[in-house]
Amino acid sequence: MNTQSGPGGAVATLTRGVRTAPELTRGAGVTLGLSLVGAAGRIVVPVLIQQAVDGGISGDRVDVGRVARLCIVGLVVVIVAAIAQREAMRRLGVRSEHALYGLRVRLFDHIHRLSLAEHAEEGRGALVGRVTSDIETMTQFFSWGGIAWLLDSTLMVLVAGVMLAYDWVLAVVAFIVAAPLAIVLRAVQRRLIRGYDLARERNAEFMSQVGEMITASAVTRAYEARPAATRRVLQAADRRARAFVRSSTIGAFLFPSGEVFSVLTVGAVVVVGVLRGPSSGLTSGALIGFVFLTYRFLEPIAEITEVLDQTQAAVAGFRRILGVLDIPAGPPSPDHPVPLPGGSLDVRIDGVDFGYRPRLGLDEDGALALQGVSMSIASGEQVALVGATGSGKSTLGRLIVRLADPTVGHISIGGVDLRDVANDDLRERVMLVPQDPFLFDTSIEGNLVFARPGTDHDAITAAFDELGLAEWLAALPDGLATEVGERGEQLSAGERQLVALVRAYLADPDVLLLDEATSAVDPLTETRLAHALARLATGRTTIAIAHRLSTAARADRVGVMEHGRLIEVGHHDALIAQGGVYAGLFAAWMTATESGPPGPT
């Protein structure tokens, strides 16, 4: 193992890991005691062999009774040691599974608390890899490697002490001959660390590519882009395979090196013992017993060489998991939260800058996604944010619901800075309905009830009535029990948006942010959505990120985004009369839709 104490060292990683997963240390004293009993039992057998040879065999005579008693003692010791060792293994295995379960839960929870910027930087596939493959690597290690380290290390310490007590000269010979193995293992281990770190990186990259290809299967089939997508996955798979082959090749060097040093050590002990002869006080039984002890000393080394590469893989996985846990949860909940005032809430945006790469404050192109954005939205007001794709309107919306914090500036709701509001309080009062709402693979009712736990069937049905969607619900084959499929794919885009609006209604927020909830729908569904939105927005501060400018025309005010800046704010009619950017956007939209100005809803 690498003994460096730096932040990337194996010892430092394992030390931090034990602090992160305290279940590993619970009952560790009892487990270690049982392991010592098991190790002691394996040492007693060579001692009994020495006693049998020296005390039970004299010339041509064999003291059968003495040998039989020693055999019985050996049998009892072996049985007790086996029971103790098995119990130690069971305890370690149970503790390990509990620890990894707790670690997986903490990691999963922490990933869900990361900011939007961190998710964009890390990549979803890489984060999934931490919860799945990296944890699985550690599971494999603790099911065998961790047990080997515990049992074999205790056995080596005990055997080394007995060897010194038996004959310190032969013990020193064995230690000197076996010592270079530690140097060889250290040199190989350094390369294993780098090899397994690269292998885990390539595995995360591969999972990202596979996840992307599966998610985008409809698009790749529609555009016949499967060869290109498949080629990217195969290239990632090839890089993964080469990284794992390289690390496995390095690891494969460990076992034969251990075998070679085992042969050399036993040979040296026998040669030195024979040369010293009986005159040194070394009896035949003592030499035979010492040879057995030498094997007992070398057995753990051989087993450790077999699990060392697995250990390095687990350390690499552990390091990557701790790296994710080291990312500050974002946005963090304040130490002393300030409660939001009751009733409808206003929104104030003051000099906000934001970049998706928080360590640099930049987006992928090297520019801020938002720059100097300031705006005040009165309580109960309905505001539309418009602009070209990439103008920053969706990013601003996500900052308002605090999926991330501004790089510079402040956003306050109800006069309270979002950084001072408890996350749970904010989620109850502020709600985002995304452009492509996510639905879980369950029924419509199952996708609604989690918005407000404890909501009964009648309350959900009433919500559809109040939003004017009872007719649509009745037309579904199984009503609320209708299964939506994975990601809601058994519903149309508009129907998914309808479900999302009902979900927002049940959550009953005071501030509602709609990321163009009327995009990509047919006229009938748009009408249903428009009526539902009007009822949902009543009495609430509503911010609509609008791609269809009919939404902007119905708003109290319109904010126009361009290259991350808020360049125009005003009522639809005033902005049209102004003849600026919004007027140009609206004229282009009217031409594209070939329709007249939208009427009131």
Side-chain angles (χ1 to χ4, degrees):
M1 295 291 292
N2 187 359
T3 57
Q4 61 184 342
S5 58
V11 170
T13 300
L14 292 175
T15 301
R16 286 198 55 220
V18 169
R19 290 199 300 267
T20 306
E23 296 89 346
L24 286 171
T25 61
R26 292 174 185 167
V30 176
T31 303
L32 181 60
L34 291 170
S35 177
L36 289 172
V37 172
R42 300 179 68 180
I43 296 173
V44 168
V45 173
V47 176
L48 293 175
I49 291 175
Q50 180 258 324
Q51 292 294 320
V53 172
D54 287 343
I57 302 175
S58 176
D60 295 333
R61 293 181 61 255
V62 176
D63 188 342
V64 178
R66 181 182 179 87
V67 172
R69 288 192 297 273
L70 291 173
C71 289
I72 293 173
V73 172
L75 178 62
V76 173
V77 168
V78 167
I79 292 174
V80 172
I83 294 173
Q85 184 168 318
R86 182 183 182 280
E87 180 61 17
M89 294 173 64
R90 187 195 67 81
R91 289 175 59 87
L92 181 61
V94 170
R95 293 293 184 276
S96 300
E97 286 299 325
H98 285 190
L100 292 176
Y101 169 79
L103 184 62
R104 192 191 298 270
V105 170
R106 282 190 288 274
L107 180 62
F108 190 77
D109 178 70
H110 188 76
I111 288 174
H112 276 77
R113 295 178 182 274
L114 295 180
S115 70
L116 175 68
E118 293 293 352
H119 274 273
E121 182 169 307
E122 290 292 326
R124 294 177 183 174
L127 293 174
V128 170
R130 304 297 184 272
V131 181
T132 55
S133 62
D134 285 339
I135 292 286
E136 184 60 30
T137 298
M138 294 177 59
T139 301
Q140 293 172 0
F141 166 72
F142 280 112
S143 66
W144 179 35
I147 294 172
W149 277 104
L150 174 65
L151 299 180
D152 292 336
S153 58
T154 54
L155 179 61
M156 285 181 63
V157 172
L158 288 178
V159 171
V162 175
M163 289 171 68
L164 288 169
Y166 248 73
D167 192 300
W168 69 269
V169 175
L170 291 182
V172 169
V173 169
F175 298 157
I176 290 175
V177 176
L181 178 59
I183 300 174
V184 173
L185 294 180
R186 183 175 176 81
V188 175
Q189 179 256 359
R190 288 198 190 99
R191 291 169 174 79
L192 271 176
I193 290 177
R194 293 193 293 269
Y196 274 107
D197 278 341
L198 179 62
R200 304 314 305 170
E201 290 290 344
R202 292 290 182 259
N203 186 67
E205 175 189 313
F206 171 69
M207 292 190 67
S208 294
Q209 292 291 339
V210 171
E212 183 179 84
M213 184 176 182
I214 293 174
T215 303
S217 60
V219 176
T220 55
R221 292 176 64 183
Y223 288 90
E224 288 298 327
R226 283 177 292 179
T230 301
R231 184 165 56 252
R232 291 178 60 190
V233 173
L234 291 178
Q235 289 171 348
D238 179 65
R239 289 191 292 270
R240 176 188 181 277
R242 284 189 279 111
F244 272 92
V245 167
R246 181 178 181 276
S247 58
S248 298
T249 301
I250 298 172
F253 181 76
L254 293 172
F255 182 73
S257 63
E259 287 292 299
V260 168
F261 278 94
S262 295
V263 172
L264 292 176
T265 303
V266 172
V269 166
V270 172
V271 170
V272 173
V274 171
L275 291 177
R276 291 178 67 203
S279 60
S280 64
L282 185 67
T283 64
S284 299
L287 180 58
I288 294 172
F290 198 91
V291 169
F292 275 98
L293 286 173
T294 303
Y295 273 114
R296 285 284 189 263
F297 179 74
L298 294 173
E299 280 176 5
I301 297 178
E303 290 183 8
I304 288 174
T305 58
E306 291 184 50
V307 301
L308 189 58
D309 59 335
Q310 187 186 75
T311 303
Q312 295 302 337
V315 170
F318 218 161
R319 185 182 297 115
R320 290 161 64 81
I321 291 169
L322 293 174
V324 173
L325 293 175
D326 283 341
I327 300 173
S333 190
D335 294 331
H336 305 287
V338 177
L340 290 171
S344 185
L345 302 173
D346 67 321
V347 178
R348 184 177 179 85
I349 305 165
D350 294 315
V352 165
D353 292 356
F354 180 74
Y356 277 102
R357 292 166 65 190
R359 295 175 182 85
L360 302 177
L362 305 174
D363 67 11
E364 293 183 356
D365 298 323
L368 286 168
L370 295 175
Q371 301 180 63
V373 178
S374 296
M375 185 179 187
S376 293
I377 303 171
S379 61
E381 186 178 16
Q382 297 183 27
V383 172
L385 295 176
V386 302
T389 301
S391 61
K393 54 188 183 297
S394 292
T395 299
L396 180 59
R398 280 158 174 75
L399 295 186
I400 292 172
V401 297
R402 209 188 176 210
L403 294 180
D405 281 332
T407 307
V408 176
H410 304 276
I411 298 178
S412 60
I413 292 183
V416 182
D417 192 310
L418 287 184
R419 293 184 176 91
D420 296 328
V421 181
N423 287 337
D424 291 341
D425 190 14
L426 184 67
R427 298 294 168 248
E428 289 182 0
R429 308 290 298 279
V430 181
M431 179 67 60
L432 167 67
V433 179
Q435 180 178 357
D436 185 16
F438 184 91
L439 298 184
F440 295 97
D441 187 8
T442 181
S443 65
I444 289 178
E445 184 171 5
N447 274 282
L448 295 175
V449 72
F450 83 90
R452 186 167 292 278
T455 304
D456 58 23
H457 181 89
D458 292 339
I460 294 175
T461 303
F464 279 91
D465 290 336
E466 291 164 11
L467 291 177
L469 300 175
E471 182 181 349
W472 171 74
L473 179 64
L476 294 176
D478 298 311
L480 288 176
T482 300
E483 294 291 326
V484 303
E486 186 175 358
R487 299 181 65 90
E489 290 182 352
Q490 293 185 24
L491 301 179
S492 69
E495 289 174 328
R496 290 197 296 271
Q497 289 170 341
L498 292 175
V499 175
L501 290 181
V502 178
R503 188 160 61 189
Y505 182 84
L506 290 171
D508 193 24
D510 295 297
V511 177
L512 184 64
L513 192 139
L514 306 167
D515 192 351
E516 190 49 274
T518 60
S519 63
V521 298
D522 58 82
L524 176 59
T525 304
E526 182 178 6
T527 300
R528 285 171 171 161
L529 280 168
H531 285 290
L533 281 169
R535 300 184 185 189
L536 181 60
T538 301
R540 294 184 172 90
T541 305
T542 306
I543 304 167
I545 299 168
H547 301 279
R548 294 188 175 194
L549 295 191
S550 58
T551 303
R554 293 190 293 265
D556 296 327
R557 280 194 302 156
V558 180
V560 183
M561 300 290 299
E562 185 175 70
H563 303 305
R565 297 181 181 276
L566 184 65
I567 59 172
E568 294 179 0
V569 178
H571 187 271
H572 165 78
D573 295 335
L575 293 178
I576 292 295
Q578 182 178 317
V581 173
Y582 178 76
L585 289 172
F586 191 78
W589 178 75
M590 291 287 292
T591 300
T593 57
E594 297 181 350
S595 63
T601 59

